[in-house]
Amino acid sequence: MGPTPGYHLAGKPQYCSLRLVAFLLIILLFVFFGRKDVLVLTPWLAPIVWEGTFNIDILNEQFRVQNVTIGLTVFAIKKYMVFLKLFLETAEEHFMVGHKVNYYVFTDRPADVPRVPLRGGRRLLVLEVPGAARWQDVSMRRMEMIGSFCAQRFLREVDFLVCADVDMRFRDHVGVEILSQLFGTLHPGFYGAAREAFTYERRPQSRAHIPRDQGDFYYMGAFFGGSVAEVHRLTTACHQAMMADWANGIEAVWHDESHLNRYLLDHKPTKVLSPEYMWDEQLLGWPAIMKKLRYVAVPKDHQEIRHR
């Protein structure tokens, strides 16, 4: 496991300053000479990652020098196991190619985890967890389990953690350009909408509540991450908020995603991923601004899968 970017050069302040200046210059070059058809910076100056806003060769070299290991968590509970093989096969083709990766598969069916050939420096680690009666419970307990394993082992084993849904597939490059201390992904259904249209939790009784005059973006719960320490803070806070709601007899409208949106409103992500990193072509087509479709939904019957 390599050092966390930005924190391993404490004895070389001049070197740090030069690297920071170079990094800011690269960002400014992409802002002024890159994409003009999409928003590329948040109001708090975090980059929004689209095709044409990064140089992957420079970034790959930066992260290889730091010798980072990336963890990818995925939950294959009950019948969702059917999606795992395609998820892993396409991850091997497109996810963090050339870098060390630990796949962390949370499942109640460890014997059914498929054998998928892995590149060098990549490992598949199966973490057995109990199932749940409702898919909503699986979704909400994900925060608790990720937070718990961050403390137990992820902090020692990886530098960054990417948390993904299993009923998806990688279709194009998803690499180190997404890595940051804390990142969220724009929901494909709301990336062009006014915040009044966002499906935040609107009931004040919930800890996930966001008033109609507040909000930056609507983030998808199916793809988020950051440094292990930041993911630990996020998942722990969301789990505690969900437990507080449960004690008060309320469940947020979109479960853990509602709490994720509340957290990212209060703790601004240092990088935001465009809908290239979370798309459903069957529902949304392929608009011209989407130069790449990187991580996409697998066609499915939600009701049939969730209730089998």
Side-chain angles (χ1 to χ4, degrees):
M1 185 179 75
T4 301
Y7 292 92
H8 67 300
L9 299 170
K12 303 177 182 178
Q14 184 177 9
Y15 182 49
C16 279
S17 299
L18 290 172
R19 289 189 63 184
L20 178 60
V21 169
F23 177 70
L24 291 173
L25 284 173
I26 289 169
I27 288 179
L28 288 172
L29 284 172
F30 278 114
V31 168
F32 290 108
F33 300 104
R35 296 285 293 269
K36 302 295 186 183
D37 56 336
V38 292
L39 184 67
V40 297
L41 280 180
T42 69
W44 58 95
L45 302 183
I48 303 176
V49 184
W50 298 84
E51 177 67 11
T53 64
F54 60 90
N55 184 313
I56 192 57
D57 294 327
I58 292 174
L59 292 174
N60 272 333
E61 183 60 26
Q62 174 191 352
F63 283 93
R64 285 195 189 106
V65 167
Q66 295 172 54
N67 194 33
V68 300
T69 301
I70 302 102
L72 178 60
T73 70
V74 65
F75 283 71
I77 305 292
K78 299 175 71 173
K79 293 298 182 179
Y80 278 83
M81 177 63 73
V82 72
F83 299 107
L84 183 59
K85 186 172 188 291
L86 180 62
F87 176 91
L88 292 171
E89 288 174 342
T90 58
E92 275 299 285
E93 186 176 357
H94 298 296
F95 181 77
M96 302 292 169
V97 175
H99 299 277
K100 293 184 293 184
V101 172
N102 285 359
Y103 296 108
Y104 295 110
V105 176
F106 291 78
T107 184
D108 58 342
R109 297 167 52 180
D112 295 333
V113 173
R115 295 179 180 271
V116 173
L118 302 179
R119 300 170 186 262
R122 298 160 82 95
R123 299 190 299 159
L124 178 69
L125 300 152
V126 179
L127 306 175
E128 187 171 3
V129 294
R134 303 185 311 149
W135 69 268
Q136 295 96 328
D137 295 328
V138 173
S139 179
M140 290 194 292
R141 289 191 61 206
R142 177 177 61 159
M143 292 293 189
E144 176 188 10
M145 294 178 193
I146 293 173
S148 176
F149 276 91
C150 279
Q152 291 179 34
R153 61 186 295 178
F154 297 161
L155 282 163
R156 299 191 308 273
E157 295 179 357
V158 296
D159 302 289
F160 292 93
L161 207 58
V162 178
C163 305
D165 275 9
V166 72
D167 53 345
M168 308 284 293
R169 68 183 177 94
F170 294 90
R171 179 165 160 173
D172 210 318
H173 164 89
V174 176
V176 295
E177 76 280 356
I178 75 172
L179 299 180
S180 185
Q181 287 301 298
L182 181 63
F183 73 81
T185 304
L186 298 181
H187 193 295
F190 296 108
Y191 74 96
R195 68 182 176 189
E196 292 80 11
F198 296 165
T199 53
Y200 291 145
E201 174 55 63
R202 301 299 189 183
R203 293 169 293 176
Q205 302 94 323
S206 172
R207 292 277 294 275
H209 171 242
I210 298 177
R212 293 191 179 275
D213 62 348
Q214 294 182 24
D216 302 314
F217 301 101
Y218 191 90
Y219 301 98
M220 190 82 174
F223 203 66
F224 65 91
S227 69
V228 181
E230 287 295 336
V231 173
H232 186 210
R233 280 189 276 272
L234 181 155
T235 52
T236 300
C238 287
H239 172 63
Q240 290 172 347
M242 285 186 280
M243 290 299 96
D245 274 6
W246 180 81
N248 291 322
I250 191 168
E251 188 173 295
V253 59
W254 290 112
H255 321 294
D256 58 329
E257 184 173 273
S258 297
H259 289 277
L260 174 72
N261 273 275
R262 177 72 248 187
Y263 185 89
L264 293 179
L265 176 59
D266 297 332
H267 307 80
K268 307 298 189 194
T270 51
K271 189 173 284 186
V272 174
L273 307 186
S274 73
E276 292 176 359
Y277 295 88
M278 177 56 57
W279 195 254
D280 190 327
E281 188 177 7
Q282 187 176 36
L283 289 178
L284 301 168
W286 193 337
I289 65 166
M290 304 290 290
K291 307 301 183 187
K292 301 268 190 179
L293 301 183
R294 303 176 186 276
Y295 185 54
V296 300
V298 174
K300 67 189 80 66
D301 182 334
H302 285 283
Q303 294 301 315
E304 196 268 342
I305 289 291
R306 288 170 176 173
H307 299 292
R308 281 168 66 184

